[in-house]
Amino acid sequence: MTTCTVTVEELTELAQSALIGAGVADADAADIADVLIAADLFGIHTHGVQRIPQYLDRVRLGGVNPRPTIRTKAPAPSVRLIDGDNGIGPLIGRRALRDALAACRPTGIGVAFVKGSNHFGPVMPYLYEATQQGFAAIIASNATTTIAPWGGKATKLGNNPLGWGVPAGANDPILFDVALSVVARAKIRAAAAAGAKIPTTWATDAAGIPTDDPDEALAGFLLPIAGHKGYGLSVMVDLFAGVLSGASYLDRISSWSTHPQVPQDLGHFILVIDTAVLCSEDELSQRIADFRDRLLATPAADPSSPVRLPGQLEMQNRHRQQREGVDIELADVEKLRQLSERRPTLRGVQ
Amino acid sequence: MTTCTVTVEELTELAQSALIGAGVADADAADIADVLIAADLFGIHTHGVQRIPQYLDRVRLGGVNPRPTIRTKAPAPSVRLIDGDNGIGPLIGRRALRDALAACRPTGIGVAFVKGSNHFGPVMPYLYEATQQGFAAIIASNATTTIAPWGGKATKLGNNPLGWGVPAGANDPILFDVALSVVARAKIRAAAAAGAKIPTTWATDAAGIPTDDPDEALAGFLLPIAGHKGYGLSVMVDLFAGVLSGASYLDRISSWSTHPQVPQDLGHFILVIDTAVLCSEDELSQRIADFRDRLLATPAADPSSPVRLPGQLEMQNRHRQQREGVDIELADVEKLRQLSERRPTLRGVQ
């Protein structure tokens, strides 16, 4: 695998251009590129611009709507219900975040429940955007099913990403973003390709029995984090993001990989709290700095591996790559370039 | 261990009577007893009325205030900041939940951040109360520190209980309540007493290395659920419940067991969402019934151990014990009886 380094501006132009080439409106392409490039900046490349070809494959197959009319209802002063009209996920995610922030300002807390959506990237870019404006956030989504319920042997739950974020004034926010499976299927596919065994904590075979054989695991089910506790958390995320939002849930969610032409109707849950109503920014900054310092002062069991805050590595990646450019696989850049070249002109790219 | 069965009414009278005997106001004793007996009804006896002697020990030592003046501020329409004045935890928890529910009604969502509190029992009784009124809830607390940060070797985090609940109309709500350590220290103490080894996933020794020796584990640190993911979640709960609330956090929290005379200044985070603004109760009931049925229809890996919903066992316990009485250790009843007998009269018991 060859990687290259591109500036944020170059990557933005490429990403927008590829999206616009597939029929996405200019402003929408800018929003989608922003979210995915934020993922790349954090170093979460599996959820960055490399997703664009996959998103656009689904657009071409009619599975995703490149020109959605996203509709927002306000059934109560601090609550928004959003229908994403089967648009590209990060577009819907960003609009919903902004709706939640707008709902929050007059009342101190706001929530957006989203239906009719698709894979919206990782949670961290949304957490980051909220915290940069002084909002604490809890954000989650349901997902294509890969996990069996605890003790079961059929896929019913997704890895249902869940994130929590807290702003810290001028300091880096604290951002936590996890998937609720122990590992992604990609990691098991890699082990299968390498002919390696996997830990029995990663997956079960088709009978629901934990296995160290990656091929059996790929025919079976991913295991949730933390056993029955992670299973329960995954259920609750699906209830909040899928059921309360009016979206699909459990195995009503169609798989983007096996049925890319079918709308998934994923659901998201976006909650934001205005920390400015809790205390002054100075006071919050001081409290979080004290929290950070006390935590990072913990002596390490292995001195070469110090204690870290959630999201600390990702924020370091962000700072470095904003200065030095984004490290990205050459093949991914090439794919974006090919998609961009299908366009007659580079409309809408600043 | 001998257990006995008492009616909810008998247990309520005993619990209230013990609390009032220690100087707790009648109405406050009723609230505290309600929360703890709800825990017993769910079968969570470790967090039920057996906690009363421990709470009252701290009252006698001056570590907890039996007559708090709980103060609530409303810095924004949907946000409440509550100072528990170092009262008994379940009293503060219940008042804060009711404040959050009141804040929620006009705007669709409400949040209470609580400081100056103590151990507030399990999360499930609060989730249940919220869901019975049609509110979805996310509730969490920080706690006495028992867990080392991931890769560290000093206690900085509590097991920070976290709960999510969703109402289901006339059906049982779905309630999820977990502690963020793999197990409680009590389980390791039991293994030590029995001379048994423990799984290496439960705890580390004092050097931060996972151990199967319960004595070394008791000299070391509990491990969080799900490795670094559970560590991150515990950090975020402490940030929301401890830092944003203005309470203590990390190792600023004093231990109730080693320093029972010192106020703990625990913090709680109570978020409620009015599901009535999202859709009709009928529609929600139908969606949740479909969710439940699809999940419970999952074939089991081991047919003797069917797939269950979060909180399903606890709701079954509740129904059974409301009919048949609460199964409780005789020694716990005796302790309450002794505490009750210190009172000259049984004021305030219905």
PDB file of all heavy atoms in Angstrom, chain A residues 151 153 156 179 181 229 231 243 247 249 252 287 290 294 299 301 308, chain B residues 78 151 153 156 179 181 229 231 247 249 252 287 290 294 299 301 308:
ATOM      1  N   GLY A 151     -26.081 -14.496  23.360  1.00  0.00           N
ATOM      2  CA  GLY A 151     -26.653 -15.835  23.477  1.00  0.00           C
ATOM      3  C   GLY A 151     -27.409 -16.283  22.244  1.00  0.00           C
ATOM      4  O   GLY A 151     -27.929 -17.393  22.214  1.00  0.00           O
ATOM      5  N   LYS A 153     -28.041 -16.611  17.769  1.00  0.00           N
ATOM      6  CA  LYS A 153     -27.292 -16.974  16.565  1.00  0.00           C
ATOM      7  C   LYS A 153     -28.000 -16.480  15.303  1.00  0.00           C
ATOM      8  O   LYS A 153     -28.356 -17.267  14.430  1.00  0.00           O
ATOM      9  CB  LYS A 153     -26.993 -18.484  16.501  1.00  0.00           C
ATOM     10  CG  LYS A 153     -28.177 -19.389  16.736  1.00  0.00           C
ATOM     11  CD  LYS A 153     -27.746 -20.855  16.571  1.00  0.00           C
ATOM     12  CE  LYS A 153     -28.938 -21.768  16.712  1.00  0.00           C
ATOM     13  NZ  LYS A 153     -28.636 -23.182  16.551  1.00  0.00           N
ATOM     14  N   LYS A 156     -28.763  -9.351  14.380  1.00  0.00           N
ATOM     15  CA  LYS A 156     -29.899  -8.481  14.666  1.00  0.00           C
ATOM     16  C   LYS A 156     -29.460  -7.053  14.980  1.00  0.00           C
ATOM     17  O   LYS A 156     -30.277  -6.139  14.940  1.00  0.00           O
ATOM     18  CB  LYS A 156     -30.690  -9.021  15.878  1.00  0.00           C
ATOM     19  CG  LYS A 156     -31.413 -10.329  15.638  1.00  0.00           C
ATOM     20  CD  LYS A 156     -32.649 -10.162  14.777  1.00  0.00           C
ATOM     21  CE  LYS A 156     -33.193 -11.488  14.301  1.00  0.00           C
ATOM     22  NZ  LYS A 156     -34.301 -12.007  15.093  1.00  0.00           N
ATOM     23  N   ALA A 179     -17.258   1.966  18.239  1.00  0.00           N
ATOM     24  CA  ALA A 179     -18.221   1.019  17.696  1.00  0.00           C
ATOM     25  C   ALA A 179     -18.463  -0.029  18.775  1.00  0.00           C
ATOM     26  O   ALA A 179     -17.583  -0.306  19.596  1.00  0.00           O
ATOM     27  CB  ALA A 179     -17.681   0.371  16.436  1.00  0.00           C
ATOM     28  N   SER A 181     -19.011  -3.275  18.443  1.00  0.00           N
ATOM     29  CA  SER A 181     -18.465  -4.620  18.269  1.00  0.00           C
ATOM     30  C   SER A 181     -17.009  -4.574  18.732  1.00  0.00           C
ATOM     31  O   SER A 181     -16.384  -3.521  18.751  1.00  0.00           O
ATOM     32  CB  SER A 181     -18.550  -5.060  16.805  1.00  0.00           C
ATOM     33  OG  SER A 181     -17.882  -4.127  15.967  1.00  0.00           O
ATOM     34  N   LYS A 229     -23.172  -6.696  28.540  1.00  0.00           N
ATOM     35  CA  LYS A 229     -23.284  -5.249  28.781  1.00  0.00           C
ATOM     36  C   LYS A 229     -23.233  -4.472  27.467  1.00  0.00           C
ATOM     37  O   LYS A 229     -24.010  -3.540  27.247  1.00  0.00           O
ATOM     38  CB  LYS A 229     -22.186  -4.773  29.743  1.00  0.00           C
ATOM     39  CG  LYS A 229     -22.352  -5.309  31.174  1.00  0.00           C
ATOM     40  CD  LYS A 229     -21.328  -4.703  32.154  1.00  0.00           C
ATOM     41  CE  LYS A 229     -21.561  -5.233  33.569  1.00  0.00           C
ATOM     42  NZ  LYS A 229     -20.693  -4.582  34.588  1.00  0.00           N
ATOM     43  N   TYR A 231     -23.917  -5.749  24.555  1.00  0.00           N
ATOM     44  CA  TYR A 231     -25.152  -6.122  23.848  1.00  0.00           C
ATOM     45  C   TYR A 231     -26.284  -5.187  24.268  1.00  0.00           C
ATOM     46  O   TYR A 231     -27.001  -4.617  23.427  1.00  0.00           O
ATOM     47  CB  TYR A 231     -25.501  -7.589  24.149  1.00  0.00           C
ATOM     48  CG  TYR A 231     -26.965  -7.925  23.968  1.00  0.00           C
ATOM     49  CD1 TYR A 231     -27.586  -7.785  22.725  1.00  0.00           C
ATOM     50  CD2 TYR A 231     -27.737  -8.366  25.041  1.00  0.00           C
ATOM     51  CE1 TYR A 231     -28.939  -8.078  22.568  1.00  0.00           C
ATOM     52  CE2 TYR A 231     -29.083  -8.663  24.893  1.00  0.00           C
ATOM     53  CZ  TYR A 231     -29.681  -8.509  23.650  1.00  0.00           C
ATOM     54  OH  TYR A 231     -31.013  -8.789  23.494  1.00  0.00           O
ATOM     55  N   VAL A 243     -35.629   3.261  16.760  1.00  0.00           N
ATOM     56  CA  VAL A 243     -37.061   3.166  17.080  1.00  0.00           C
ATOM     57  C   VAL A 243     -37.655   4.537  17.379  1.00  0.00           C
ATOM     58  O   VAL A 243     -38.678   4.915  16.802  1.00  0.00           O
ATOM     59  CB  VAL A 243     -37.289   2.189  18.255  1.00  0.00           C
ATOM     60  CG1 VAL A 243     -38.753   2.197  18.681  1.00  0.00           C
ATOM     61  CG2 VAL A 243     -36.880   0.772  17.844  1.00  0.00           C
ATOM     62  N   ALA A 247     -37.037   5.454  12.282  1.00  0.00           N
ATOM     63  CA  ALA A 247     -36.236   4.796  11.244  1.00  0.00           C
ATOM     64  C   ALA A 247     -36.411   3.281  11.314  1.00  0.00           C
ATOM     65  O   ALA A 247     -37.188   2.762  12.119  1.00  0.00           O
ATOM     66  CB  ALA A 247     -34.761   5.163  11.425  1.00  0.00           C
ATOM     67  N   TYR A 249     -34.782  -0.537  12.162  1.00  0.00           N
ATOM     68  CA  TYR A 249     -34.026  -1.012  13.331  1.00  0.00           C
ATOM     69  C   TYR A 249     -33.839  -2.516  13.194  1.00  0.00           C
ATOM     70  O   TYR A 249     -34.476  -3.174  12.362  1.00  0.00           O
ATOM     71  CB  TYR A 249     -34.762  -0.674  14.631  1.00  0.00           C
ATOM     72  CG  TYR A 249     -36.232  -1.028  14.602  1.00  0.00           C
ATOM     73  CD1 TYR A 249     -36.665  -2.333  14.833  1.00  0.00           C
ATOM     74  CD2 TYR A 249     -37.191  -0.059  14.304  1.00  0.00           C
ATOM     75  CE1 TYR A 249     -38.010  -2.662  14.773  1.00  0.00           C
ATOM     76  CE2 TYR A 249     -38.549  -0.384  14.241  1.00  0.00           C
ATOM     77  CZ  TYR A 249     -38.948  -1.681  14.485  1.00  0.00           C
ATOM     78  OH  TYR A 249     -40.279  -2.009  14.418  1.00  0.00           O
ATOM     79  N   ARG A 252     -34.585  -5.147  10.309  1.00  0.00           N
ATOM     80  CA  ARG A 252     -35.326  -4.396   9.298  1.00  0.00           C
ATOM     81  C   ARG A 252     -34.369  -3.539   8.473  1.00  0.00           C
ATOM     82  O   ARG A 252     -34.749  -3.029   7.413  1.00  0.00           O
ATOM     83  CB  ARG A 252     -36.361  -3.478   9.954  1.00  0.00           C
ATOM     84  CG  ARG A 252     -37.564  -4.217  10.523  1.00  0.00           C
ATOM     85  CD  ARG A 252     -38.665  -3.240  10.898  1.00  0.00           C
ATOM     86  NE  ARG A 252     -39.838  -3.926  11.395  1.00  0.00           N
ATOM     87  CZ  ARG A 252     -40.784  -4.474  10.628  1.00  0.00           C
ATOM     88  NH1 ARG A 252     -40.688  -4.422   9.314  1.00  0.00           N
ATOM     89  NH2 ARG A 252     -41.808  -5.088  11.168  1.00  0.00           N
ATOM     90  N   ARG A 287     -11.733  23.366  35.031  1.00  0.00           N
ATOM     91  CA  ARG A 287     -12.131  22.062  35.565  1.00  0.00           C
ATOM     92  C   ARG A 287     -11.666  20.943  34.632  1.00  0.00           C
ATOM     93  O   ARG A 287     -11.171  19.908  35.086  1.00  0.00           O
ATOM     94  CB  ARG A 287     -13.655  21.995  35.761  1.00  0.00           C
ATOM     95  CG  ARG A 287     -14.140  22.810  36.967  1.00  0.00           C
ATOM     96  CD  ARG A 287     -15.660  22.866  37.061  1.00  0.00           C
ATOM     97  NE  ARG A 287     -16.258  21.566  37.352  1.00  0.00           N
ATOM     98  CZ  ARG A 287     -16.333  21.020  38.565  1.00  0.00           C
ATOM     99  NH1 ARG A 287     -15.848  21.650  39.604  1.00  0.00           N
ATOM    100  NH2 ARG A 287     -16.893  19.843  38.734  1.00  0.00           N
ATOM    101  N   ASP A 290      -7.925  20.467  34.834  1.00  0.00           N
ATOM    102  CA  ASP A 290      -7.578  19.735  36.055  1.00  0.00           C
ATOM    103  C   ASP A 290      -7.888  18.248  35.886  1.00  0.00           C
ATOM    104  O   ASP A 290      -7.081  17.381  36.262  1.00  0.00           O
ATOM    105  CB  ASP A 290      -8.363  20.313  37.243  1.00  0.00           C
ATOM    106  CG  ASP A 290      -8.075  19.570  38.544  1.00  0.00           C
ATOM    107  OD1 ASP A 290      -6.895  19.547  38.953  1.00  0.00           O
ATOM    108  OD2 ASP A 290      -9.014  18.999  39.138  1.00  0.00           O
ATOM    109  N   ARG A 294      -4.961  15.431  36.027  1.00  0.00           N
ATOM    110  CA  ARG A 294      -5.018  14.374  37.048  1.00  0.00           C
ATOM    111  C   ARG A 294      -5.012  12.996  36.390  1.00  0.00           C
ATOM    112  O   ARG A 294      -4.403  12.059  36.893  1.00  0.00           O
ATOM    113  CB  ARG A 294      -6.285  14.504  37.893  1.00  0.00           C
ATOM    114  CG  ARG A 294      -6.324  15.740  38.746  1.00  0.00           C
ATOM    115  CD  ARG A 294      -7.617  15.798  39.558  1.00  0.00           C
ATOM    116  NE  ARG A 294      -7.459  15.146  40.846  1.00  0.00           N
ATOM    117  CZ  ARG A 294      -6.981  15.742  41.925  1.00  0.00           C
ATOM    118  NH1 ARG A 294      -6.608  16.992  41.891  1.00  0.00           N
ATOM    119  NH2 ARG A 294      -6.862  15.082  43.063  1.00  0.00           N
ATOM    120  N   PRO A 299       0.474   7.057  36.916  1.00  0.00           N
ATOM    121  CA  PRO A 299       1.641   6.276  36.483  1.00  0.00           C
ATOM    122  C   PRO A 299       1.206   5.123  35.584  1.00  0.00           C
ATOM    123  O   PRO A 299       0.170   4.498  35.816  1.00  0.00           O
ATOM    124  CB  PRO A 299       2.241   5.758  37.799  1.00  0.00           C
ATOM    125  CG  PRO A 299       1.193   5.957  38.838  1.00  0.00           C
ATOM    126  CD  PRO A 299       0.299   7.060  38.375  1.00  0.00           C
ATOM    127  N   ALA A 301       1.382   1.415  33.754  1.00  0.00           N
ATOM    128  CA  ALA A 301       1.841   0.050  34.050  1.00  0.00           C
ATOM    129  C   ALA A 301       3.082  -0.248  33.210  1.00  0.00           C
ATOM    130  O   ALA A 301       4.039  -0.863  33.675  1.00  0.00           O
ATOM    131  CB  ALA A 301       0.728  -0.951  33.760  1.00  0.00           C
ATOM    132  N   ARG A 308      -3.755   7.721  28.272  1.00  0.00           N
ATOM    133  CA  ARG A 308      -4.247   8.749  27.348  1.00  0.00           C
ATOM    134  C   ARG A 308      -5.721   9.057  27.603  1.00  0.00           C
ATOM    135  O   ARG A 308      -6.469   8.220  28.101  1.00  0.00           O
ATOM    136  CB  ARG A 308      -4.114   8.255  25.896  1.00  0.00           C
ATOM    137  CG  ARG A 308      -2.696   8.251  25.386  1.00  0.00           C
ATOM    138  CD  ARG A 308      -2.681   8.168  23.860  1.00  0.00           C
ATOM    139  NE  ARG A 308      -3.391   7.011  23.360  1.00  0.00           N
ATOM    140  CZ  ARG A 308      -2.812   5.952  22.812  1.00  0.00           C
ATOM    141  NH1 ARG A 308      -1.512   5.902  22.669  1.00  0.00           N
ATOM    142  NH2 ARG A 308      -3.545   4.940  22.385  1.00  0.00           N
TER     143      ARG A 308
ATOM    144  N   SER B  78     -34.627  24.279  29.850  1.00  0.00           N
ATOM    145  CA  SER B  78     -34.645  22.812  29.933  1.00  0.00           C
ATOM    146  C   SER B  78     -33.503  22.242  30.761  1.00  0.00           C
ATOM    147  O   SER B  78     -33.257  21.037  30.729  1.00  0.00           O
ATOM    148  CB  SER B  78     -34.563  22.210  28.531  1.00  0.00           C
ATOM    149  OG  SER B  78     -35.581  22.710  27.715  1.00  0.00           O
ATOM    150  N   GLY B 151      -4.165   1.189  31.040  1.00  0.00           N
ATOM    151  CA  GLY B 151      -2.708   1.269  30.990  1.00  0.00           C
ATOM    152  C   GLY B 151      -2.082   1.907  32.212  1.00  0.00           C
ATOM    153  O   GLY B 151      -0.859   2.017  32.288  1.00  0.00           O
ATOM    154  N   LYS B 153      -1.741   2.651  36.664  1.00  0.00           N
ATOM    155  CA  LYS B 153      -1.722   1.896  37.922  1.00  0.00           C
ATOM    156  C   LYS B 153      -1.998   2.811  39.118  1.00  0.00           C
ATOM    157  O   LYS B 153      -1.172   2.927  40.025  1.00  0.00           O
ATOM    158  CB  LYS B 153      -0.414   1.108  38.082  1.00  0.00           C
ATOM    159  CG  LYS B 153       0.860   1.891  37.875  1.00  0.00           C
ATOM    160  CD  LYS B 153       2.082   0.997  38.137  1.00  0.00           C
ATOM    161  CE  LYS B 153       3.361   1.804  37.980  1.00  0.00           C
ATOM    162  NZ  LYS B 153       4.571   1.046  38.270  1.00  0.00           N
ATOM    163  N   LYS B 156      -8.463   6.015  39.578  1.00  0.00           N
ATOM    164  CA  LYS B 156      -8.879   7.360  39.189  1.00  0.00           C
ATOM    165  C   LYS B 156     -10.359   7.412  38.815  1.00  0.00           C
ATOM    166  O   LYS B 156     -10.930   8.487  38.739  1.00  0.00           O
ATOM    167  CB  LYS B 156      -8.050   7.841  37.983  1.00  0.00           C
ATOM    168  CG  LYS B 156      -6.577   8.093  38.275  1.00  0.00           C
ATOM    169  CD  LYS B 156      -6.341   9.359  39.064  1.00  0.00           C
ATOM    170  CE  LYS B 156      -4.933   9.459  39.591  1.00  0.00           C
ATOM    171  NZ  LYS B 156      -4.024  10.247  38.767  1.00  0.00           N
ATOM    172  N   ALA B 179     -22.853  -1.176  35.528  1.00  0.00           N
ATOM    173  CA  ALA B 179     -21.658  -0.555  36.088  1.00  0.00           C
ATOM    174  C   ALA B 179     -20.544  -0.757  35.065  1.00  0.00           C
ATOM    175  O   ALA B 179     -20.559  -1.723  34.296  1.00  0.00           O
ATOM    176  CB  ALA B 179     -21.301  -1.210  37.406  1.00  0.00           C
ATOM    177  N   SER B 181     -17.335  -1.321  35.566  1.00  0.00           N
ATOM    178  CA  SER B 181     -16.264  -2.287  35.854  1.00  0.00           C
ATOM    179  C   SER B 181     -16.785  -3.663  35.446  1.00  0.00           C
ATOM    180  O   SER B 181     -17.996  -3.878  35.389  1.00  0.00           O
ATOM    181  CB  SER B 181     -15.890  -2.261  37.336  1.00  0.00           C
ATOM    182  OG  SER B 181     -17.022  -2.520  38.138  1.00  0.00           O
ATOM    183  N   LYS B 229     -12.270   0.815  25.519  1.00  0.00           N
ATOM    184  CA  LYS B 229     -13.578   1.389  25.185  1.00  0.00           C
ATOM    185  C   LYS B 229     -14.370   1.686  26.461  1.00  0.00           C
ATOM    186  O   LYS B 229     -14.990   2.746  26.595  1.00  0.00           O
ATOM    187  CB  LYS B 229     -14.361   0.471  24.248  1.00  0.00           C
ATOM    188  CG  LYS B 229     -13.738   0.353  22.842  1.00  0.00           C
ATOM    189  CD  LYS B 229     -14.615  -0.455  21.879  1.00  0.00           C
ATOM    190  CE  LYS B 229     -13.992  -0.511  20.477  1.00  0.00           C
ATOM    191  NZ  LYS B 229     -14.858  -1.151  19.468  1.00  0.00           N
ATOM    192  N   TYR B 231     -13.066   2.075  29.415  1.00  0.00           N
ATOM    193  CA  TYR B 231     -12.322   3.149  30.089  1.00  0.00           C
ATOM    194  C   TYR B 231     -12.795   4.506  29.561  1.00  0.00           C
ATOM    195  O   TYR B 231     -13.108   5.428  30.326  1.00  0.00           O
ATOM    196  CB  TYR B 231     -10.816   2.963  29.862  1.00  0.00           C
ATOM    197  CG  TYR B 231     -10.007   4.234  30.008  1.00  0.00           C
ATOM    198  CD1 TYR B 231      -9.979   4.934  31.206  1.00  0.00           C
ATOM    199  CD2 TYR B 231      -9.276   4.755  28.929  1.00  0.00           C
ATOM    200  CE1 TYR B 231      -9.248   6.114  31.329  1.00  0.00           C
ATOM    201  CE2 TYR B 231      -8.544   5.923  29.046  1.00  0.00           C
ATOM    202  CZ  TYR B 231      -8.544   6.605  30.245  1.00  0.00           C
ATOM    203  OH  TYR B 231      -7.837   7.772  30.365  1.00  0.00           O
ATOM    204  N   ALA B 247     -19.618  18.931  40.415  1.00  0.00           N
ATOM    205  CA  ALA B 247     -19.322  18.026  41.536  1.00  0.00           C
ATOM    206  C   ALA B 247     -17.831  17.671  41.545  1.00  0.00           C
ATOM    207  O   ALA B 247     -17.047  18.172  40.739  1.00  0.00           O
ATOM    208  CB  ALA B 247     -20.157  16.748  41.399  1.00  0.00           C
ATOM    209  N   TYR B 249     -14.765  14.794  40.988  1.00  0.00           N
ATOM    210  CA  TYR B 249     -14.526  13.847  39.900  1.00  0.00           C
ATOM    211  C   TYR B 249     -13.179  13.172  40.128  1.00  0.00           C
ATOM    212  O   TYR B 249     -12.397  13.592  40.988  1.00  0.00           O
ATOM    213  CB  TYR B 249     -14.532  14.565  38.546  1.00  0.00           C
ATOM    214  CG  TYR B 249     -13.701  15.831  38.539  1.00  0.00           C
ATOM    215  CD1 TYR B 249     -12.317  15.796  38.380  1.00  0.00           C
ATOM    216  CD2 TYR B 249     -14.296  17.073  38.734  1.00  0.00           C
ATOM    217  CE1 TYR B 249     -11.562  16.951  38.404  1.00  0.00           C
ATOM    218  CE2 TYR B 249     -13.542  18.237  38.756  1.00  0.00           C
ATOM    219  CZ  TYR B 249     -12.174  18.172  38.585  1.00  0.00           C
ATOM    220  OH  TYR B 249     -11.421  19.315  38.626  1.00  0.00           O
ATOM    221  N   ARG B 252     -10.584  13.163  43.135  1.00  0.00           N
ATOM    222  CA  ARG B 252     -11.094  14.177  44.071  1.00  0.00           C
ATOM    223  C   ARG B 252     -12.258  13.615  44.887  1.00  0.00           C
ATOM    224  O   ARG B 252     -12.654  14.193  45.894  1.00  0.00           O
ATOM    225  CB  ARG B 252     -11.577  15.414  43.302  1.00  0.00           C
ATOM    226  CG  ARG B 252     -10.442  16.260  42.741  1.00  0.00           C
ATOM    227  CD  ARG B 252     -10.969  17.599  42.265  1.00  0.00           C
ATOM    228  NE  ARG B 252      -9.912  18.435  41.736  1.00  0.00           N
ATOM    229  CZ  ARG B 252      -9.096  19.185  42.494  1.00  0.00           C
ATOM    230  NH1 ARG B 252      -9.230  19.196  43.797  1.00  0.00           N
ATOM    231  NH2 ARG B 252      -8.155  19.909  41.930  1.00  0.00           N
ATOM    232  N   ARG B 287     -44.122  -0.112  17.731  1.00  0.00           N
ATOM    233  CA  ARG B 287     -42.737  -0.219  17.264  1.00  0.00           C
ATOM    234  C   ARG B 287     -41.883  -0.980  18.280  1.00  0.00           C
ATOM    235  O   ARG B 287     -41.078  -1.844  17.915  1.00  0.00           O
ATOM    236  CB  ARG B 287     -42.147   1.173  17.001  1.00  0.00           C
ATOM    237  CG  ARG B 287     -42.702   1.833  15.735  1.00  0.00           C
ATOM    238  CD  ARG B 287     -42.211   3.262  15.556  1.00  0.00           C
ATOM    239  NE  ARG B 287     -40.795   3.388  15.321  1.00  0.00           N
ATOM    240  CZ  ARG B 287     -40.190   3.204  14.154  1.00  0.00           C
ATOM    241  NH1 ARG B 287     -40.900   2.877  13.088  1.00  0.00           N
ATOM    242  NH2 ARG B 287     -38.888   3.342  14.035  1.00  0.00           N
ATOM    243  N   ASP B 290     -42.723  -4.661  18.250  1.00  0.00           N
ATOM    244  CA  ASP B 290     -42.098  -5.310  17.091  1.00  0.00           C
ATOM    245  C   ASP B 290     -40.600  -5.513  17.335  1.00  0.00           C
ATOM    246  O   ASP B 290     -40.048  -6.588  17.058  1.00  0.00           O
ATOM    247  CB  ASP B 290     -42.312  -4.453  15.838  1.00  0.00           C
ATOM    248  CG  ASP B 290     -41.651  -5.053  14.606  1.00  0.00           C
ATOM    249  OD1 ASP B 290     -42.011  -6.200  14.258  1.00  0.00           O
ATOM    250  OD2 ASP B 290     -40.766  -4.401  14.004  1.00  0.00           O
ATOM    251  N   ARG B 294     -38.939  -9.223  17.498  1.00  0.00           N
ATOM    252  CA  ARG B 294     -37.881  -9.599  16.548  1.00  0.00           C
ATOM    253  C   ARG B 294     -36.629 -10.029  17.280  1.00  0.00           C
ATOM    254  O   ARG B 294     -35.927 -10.962  16.861  1.00  0.00           O
ATOM    255  CB  ARG B 294     -37.540  -8.421  15.628  1.00  0.00           C
ATOM    256  CG  ARG B 294     -38.652  -8.024  14.702  1.00  0.00           C
ATOM    257  CD  ARG B 294     -38.247  -6.845  13.839  1.00  0.00           C
ATOM    258  NE  ARG B 294     -37.640  -7.277  12.599  1.00  0.00           N
ATOM    259  CZ  ARG B 294     -38.315  -7.590  11.504  1.00  0.00           C
ATOM    260  NH1 ARG B 294     -39.623  -7.539  11.491  1.00  0.00           N
ATOM    261  NH2 ARG B 294     -37.673  -7.972  10.425  1.00  0.00           N
ATOM    262  N   PRO B 299     -32.918 -17.236  17.348  1.00  0.00           N
ATOM    263  CA  PRO B 299     -32.604 -18.568  17.880  1.00  0.00           C
ATOM    264  C   PRO B 299     -31.414 -18.500  18.831  1.00  0.00           C
ATOM    265  O   PRO B 299     -30.468 -17.752  18.599  1.00  0.00           O
ATOM    266  CB  PRO B 299     -32.270 -19.385  16.626  1.00  0.00           C
ATOM    267  CG  PRO B 299     -32.054 -18.399  15.527  1.00  0.00           C
ATOM    268  CD  PRO B 299     -32.786 -17.151  15.892  1.00  0.00           C
ATOM    269  N   ALA B 301     -28.068 -19.815  20.884  1.00  0.00           N
ATOM    270  CA  ALA B 301     -26.937 -20.730  20.704  1.00  0.00           C
ATOM    271  C   ALA B 301     -27.110 -21.942  21.610  1.00  0.00           C
ATOM    272  O   ALA B 301     -26.837 -23.069  21.221  1.00  0.00           O
ATOM    273  CB  ALA B 301     -25.625 -20.000  21.015  1.00  0.00           C
ATOM    274  N   ARG B 308     -32.454 -12.510  25.731  1.00  0.00           N
ATOM    275  CA  ARG B 308     -33.287 -11.646  26.578  1.00  0.00           C
ATOM    276  C   ARG B 308     -33.063 -10.174  26.252  1.00  0.00           C
ATOM    277  O   ARG B 308     -32.014  -9.793  25.753  1.00  0.00           O
ATOM    278  CB  ARG B 308     -32.941 -11.863  28.059  1.00  0.00           C
ATOM    279  CG  ARG B 308     -33.447 -13.147  28.634  1.00  0.00           C
ATOM    280  CD  ARG B 308     -33.439 -13.098  30.165  1.00  0.00           C
ATOM    281  NE  ARG B 308     -32.114 -12.796  30.683  1.00  0.00           N
ATOM    282  CZ  ARG B 308     -31.335 -13.666  31.325  1.00  0.00           C
ATOM    283  NH1 ARG B 308     -31.751 -14.891  31.530  1.00  0.00           N
ATOM    284  NH2 ARG B 308     -30.165 -13.297  31.767  1.00  0.00           N
TER     285      ARG B 308
END
